[in-house]
Amino acid sequence: MKPQITVITLGVDDLEASLHFYRDGLGFATEGIIGKEFEYGAVVFIQLQAGLRLALWPRKSIAHDTGIEVQTASATEMTLGHNVASKAEVDAVMAKADSAGARIVKPAHDTFWGGYSGYFQDPDGHLWEVVWNPAWEQDGEQ
């Protein structure tokens, strides 16, 4: 299997609130909620970079589709990393997330490994790390 991820789906409790946070608060472009005509079909797709989308889908719809009961959510299951080009950009993204209604879990700070990062949670508790990694900058990555 060639490792390739094309969609990251976040389970949400309130699709409208999540849409508002990501579209109106963070400024992510999206068509909004589609699939409302189908039971368990309402979903939001957000184009990230080429070949990768973020999907927001109600947790009850994921449970229905998979046959697995809705579980207790845990913020420590995974994080989403948003790498930027500078410390100032980390601060700007964290401020935007804060003004969008995110819960700032760990304010931006110098890391033990030489970078700079902070964490916030979206309305459903999903953790985002906003990070500047100087090693990746030297490698031409971001």
Side-chain angles (χ1 to χ4, degrees), residues 2-3 5 11 17-18 29 32 34 45 60 63-64 70 73 89 97 118 133:
K2 178 182 175 186
I5 295 175
S18 293
I34 61 169
F45 288 109
K60 66 182 180 185
H64 175 79
V70 173
E89 197 173 348
N133 184 334

Side-chain angles (χ1 to χ4, degrees), residues 43-98:
V43 64
V44 171
F45 288 109
I46 298 165
Q47 184 69 49
L48 299 175
Q49 62 264 21
L52 182 60
R53 287 182 175 83
L54 179 67
L56 308 173
W57 201 22
R59 294 175 75 231
K60 66 182 180 185
S61 297
I62 294 171
H64 175 79
D65 199 49
T66 62
I68 297 173
E69 291 184 31
V70 173
Q71 306 290 312
T72 302
S74 171
T76 58
E77 295 297 322
M78 65 172 278
T79 66
L80 297 165
H82 178 65
N83 287 274
V84 296
S86 68
K87 288 182 176 186
E89 197 173 348
V90 170
D91 291 336
V93 172
M94 292 293 291
K96 184 167 190 140
D98 187 37

